[in-house]
Amino acid sequence: MEPYAAQWLSILPPIVAIGLALITKEVFSALLVGIFSGTLIYACGTGANIVMGTVETAFKMMSNKLDLNIIIFCSLLGALVHVMSLSGGTIAYGRRAATLIKGRKSSLMATSGLGFSIFIDDYFNCLTVGTVMRPLTDLYKVSRAKLAYIIDSTSAPICIIAPVSSWAAAVGSSLKDTGAFDSAFGAFIATIPWNFYALLSLVMVLFICFTDFDFGPMRKAEQAARLAQPAAADAGKEESLKYNPNGTSWDMLLPLFVLIVCRFSCSSSLPFSR
């Protein structure tokens, strides 16, 4: 495909996608409309057919960007995540943390600390931290809104700056394609100091946990939670993870340690590094 400089029009597709996502609450349809708006701009700029050129460009780009290395990497990472969950390591880690938690602030710090430690995948982070810390934060009357904020503001930000994560594989390989970096791993490492959103989000989480500061709707939720436990309707929707009841914290920590050591000692042999 021939390059085309869309100039200021290049910001329209992400604006369209984000705007539709906020309005419709439908992420996939918003992303599809954003993609086709971008290919429409490209088709018009290169003189292609408005209809067929837009559709053809969209599917051609998606097929050209298919990277089996990333698919295999994420599949293996997902398998590791599932094994750690079934082993009972994450639940055991939460129970271990519970013995050290003596108050409201400690429960908030433990939630953020667990979120910082599970950096290999953001979805696994949300699922694990929420399941493990929800009973503890309920005990100290932390609102579900505040718990959700801490989980959401640590899961993706910590994954996007962690060298070993599903995001690192995708971001690094995409940046390497620009030709400005020698390896995908080097490209990803170079972006970490400039990822201000992730870094500031983590700082904000620590600030809120240390000071117990609340703002906006979260403040109202916290005031309601201090008066009573979360609604019974919420508890009825909760589902428990299947896990080995005899698991220990090492069932989670040891695989993570081996993954990190192997990642840095064998970085040149992994598909993500090339």
Side-chain angles (χ1 to χ4, degrees):
M1 296 176 60
E2 61 177 295
Y4 168 68
Q7 299 178 357
W8 66 271
L9 291 175
S10 60
I11 67 173
L12 288 182
I15 291 177
V16 169
I18 295 172
L20 285 177
L22 294 175
I23 295 173
T24 64
K25 304 297 188 294
E26 291 288 340
V27 177
F28 290 109
S29 59
L31 287 175
L32 283 175
V33 173
I35 290 172
F36 281 110
S37 65
T39 54
L40 174 62
I41 294 173
Y42 179 84
C44 294
T46 56
N49 183 276
I50 294 180
V51 178
M52 293 306 299
T54 299
V55 176
E56 182 181 357
T57 302
F59 284 99
K60 184 180 295 184
M61 287 295 297
M62 286 188 282
S63 62
N64 290 341
K65 289 297 182 180
L66 180 62
D67 194 330
L68 292 178
N69 287 333
I70 294 180
I71 294 176
I72 294 173
F73 176 86
C74 292
S75 299
L76 293 175
L77 194 59
L80 175 64
V81 165
H82 191 59
V83 169
M84 289 184 350
S85 177
L86 293 178
S87 70
T90 54
I91 299 296
Y93 182 90
R95 290 172 178 169
R96 180 78 174 178
T99 61
L100 304 175
I101 297 175
K102 303 300 181 182
R104 176 185 175 84
K105 184 178 293 187
S106 296
S107 68
L108 294 174
M109 292 303 302
T111 302
S112 61
L114 184 59
F116 287 0
S117 63
I118 303 177
F119 49 78
I120 56 178
D121 183 75
D122 52 333
Y123 294 120
F124 174 63
N125 184 306
C126 292
L127 180 63
T128 302
V129 178
T131 302
V132 172
M133 300 307 300
R134 184 175 53 226
L136 297 175
T137 53
D138 283 351
L139 178 63
Y140 293 106
K141 296 187 177 181
V142 176
S143 68
R144 295 289 174 83
K146 192 164 191 173
L147 176 63
Y149 169 79
I150 294 174
I151 293 174
D152 185 67
S153 297
T154 54
S155 58
I158 198 65
C159 288
I160 197 61
I161 62 175
V164 183
S165 69
S166 54
W167 285 41
V171 173
S173 61
S174 297
L175 289 176
K176 185 190 173 185
D177 293 340
T178 63
F181 302 93
D182 295 330
S183 68
F185 184 66
F188 178 78
I189 293 296
T191 65
I192 294 177
W194 303 99
N195 203 325
F196 298 119
Y197 166 75
L199 296 174
L200 293 176
S201 293
L202 297 177
V203 171
M204 185 65 178
V205 167
L206 293 177
F207 171 77
I208 287 178
C209 291
F210 271 117
T211 62
D212 204 12
F213 175 77
D214 302 312
F215 59 93
M218 187 191 301
R219 178 171 298 173
K220 295 181 180 179
E222 281 291 284
Q223 292 173 349
R226 291 174 191 269
L227 299 176
Q229 291 290 343
D234 291 337
K237 298 177 182 178
E238 297 169 3
E239 297 181 359
S240 300
L241 288 174
K242 296 180 180 180
Y243 64 92
N244 175 20
N246 299 319
T248 66
S249 299
W250 286 107
D251 292 318
M252 183 188 80
L253 298 177
L254 185 59
L256 288 177
F257 177 77
V258 173
L259 177 65
I260 295 171
V261 171
C262 293
R263 178 64 189 88
F264 286 99
S265 61
C266 308
S267 59
S268 60
S269 63
L270 295 179
F272 163 37
S273 303
R274 299 196 190 111

